[in-house]
Amino acid sequence: MRKTRIASIAAMAAAAALALTGCGGGGGDAGGDGGGDSVKIGIKFDQPGLGFKDGDKYTGFDVDVAKYIANELGFKEDKIEWVSAPSANRETLLETKQVDMIVATYSITDSRKERVAFAGPYFIAGQDLLVRQDDTSITGPDTLKGKKLCSVTGSTSAKKVSDSYPGVSLVEQGGYADCLGLLETGGIDAVTTDDIILAGLAATPANKGKFKVVGNTFTEEKYGVGLTKGNDTCEKINTAISKMIKDGEWEKSLKANTEGTGYTPNADLNPPTPEPCA
Ligand code: GLU
């Protein structure tokens, strides 16, 4: 009896050790030296048409671009682990290797390049304004004096307003959907970020008819694939982006994900050509 018990404890310990070893072998390292069996990709969870989580389903143009790239890197869809990447957390998520890459309406900027690397761009958007449907007073950034504006912490959109439009009072939220709630109740007068994000949010069944995109863009936002510095995947990702554009999948996805939103991409800038990797 006693002997049996000791034997089974030993067997359990051996099984636990095996399980641990198995666990250590997993995890994604697509941004590192290869050999990982999964890839962790940061996307937005709250931007309809771009990166959106609905139960266990992930949809949007960013999601399609991410899936295409992952597949080209050898990761099938079931090997992708989707991670929420709010605007303010993106650099840290990459630096701390909580994600291998970020495809989340992430503009390529010089200041971000001090902390992370970018492949792409795979799309070019422009900063715009969203106002209540009946508002005729706001027609562009020069009509914002004395108005309350909402944007998201850590975004280029918030930075642009505080740098270039000092007379505007800026309210910062964690995500753009939070700003729309404030716009509806009158707590703020406008929401600002990229036109494609605003169009997607305004077109959801819950928001339909309540808001309008002003349609007067005042920046160029080059969406890149965020990577860790010193990565060895940038070239491969640029090749994947070019392939996606060439084989028609890029256009197909963009169309499907903006359908019914009234959004038309800037045809002078899109599709873009990926920039050389640093
Ligand atoms: N593209 C801009 C940025 O990277 C605004 C959208 C966002 O916050 O993701 O900051």
Side-chain angles (χ1 to χ4, degrees):
M1 177 73 187
R2 200 195 150 106
K3 212 172 165 188
T4 320
R5 220 171 110 209
I6 288 168
S8 74
I9 287 167
M12 273 165 67
L18 262 177
L20 268 176
T21 318
C23 185
D29 65 349
D33 49 11
D37 58 1
S38 70
V39 62
K40 293 196 187 81
I41 307 183
I43 54 163
K44 294 294 179 66
F45 279 10
D46 58 354
Q47 292 181 187
L50 287 153
F52 193 72
K53 177 177 172 16
D54 185 5
D56 58 1
K57 273 182 60 194
Y58 299 88
T59 58
F61 179 60
D62 280 347
V63 169
D64 287 349
V65 170
K67 279 187 202 164
Y68 193 101
I69 291 169
N71 188 58
E72 291 298 305
L73 295 177
F75 299 96
K76 297 282 174 235
E77 211 181 312
D78 62 345
K79 296 294 178 206
I80 300 174
E81 203 180 305
W82 301 106
V83 178
S84 171
S87 298
N89 300 359
R90 291 175 293 200
E91 290 80 27
T92 305
L93 283 169
L94 285 166
E95 284 172 332
T96 55
K97 306 241 156 83
Q98 292 178 72
V99 294
D100 298 302
M101 69 175 90
I102 288 185
V103 189
T105 61
Y106 197 11
S107 297
I108 301 172
T109 70
D110 286 342
S111 76
R112 287 174 179 163
K113 275 186 188 170
E114 286 170 18
R115 295 175 62 186
V116 300
F118 288 98
Y122 61 90
F123 186 72
I124 303 182
Q127 187 170 351
D128 209 329
L129 298 162
L130 184 81
V131 296
R132 285 181 290 273
Q133 187 72 57
D134 60 358
D135 190 322
T136 50
S137 66
I138 299 172
T139 52
D142 298 326
T143 58
L144 292 171
K145 256 216 158 71
K147 303 278 190 188
K148 273 199 199 140
L149 203 57
C150 186
S151 199
V152 165
T153 310
S155 67
T156 54
S157 325
K159 189 167 179 346
K160 177 75 183 171
V161 172
S162 44
D163 288 356
S164 309
Y165 303 99
V168 180
S169 71
L170 182 66
V171 177
E172 292 189 22
Q173 296 287 312
Y176 299 102
D178 306 320
C179 284
L180 265 76
L182 296 177
L183 184 59
E184 183 171 10
T185 54
I188 52 142
D189 302 301
V191 181
T192 189
T193 188
D194 308 335
D195 48 5
I196 188 168
I197 300 174
L198 295 173
L201 282 165
T204 62
N207 292 329
K208 212 147 194 138
K210 292 181 184 164
F211 312 111
K212 63 184 177 195
V213 181
V214 166
N216 190 356
T217 54
F218 48 99
T219 68
E220 265 181 33
E221 305 297 321
K222 293 192 237 168
Y223 288 0
V225 176
L227 299 167
T228 50
K229 270 184 173 285
N231 72 85
D232 57 6
T233 47
C234 179
E235 309 275 0
K236 277 188 207 149
I237 292 172
N238 276 351
T239 304
I241 292 168
S242 300
K243 188 173 168 195
M244 186 181 185
I245 291 168
K246 215 167 152 217
D247 71 13
E249 286 301 313
W250 180 94
E251 171 128 48
K252 202 171 125 196
S253 169
L254 188 59
K255 267 213 175 110
N257 284 297
T258 54
E259 196 154 37
T261 66
Y263 179 74
T264 5
N266 184 332
D268 293 335
L269 304 174
N270 289 290
T273 307
E275 290 165 5
C277 296

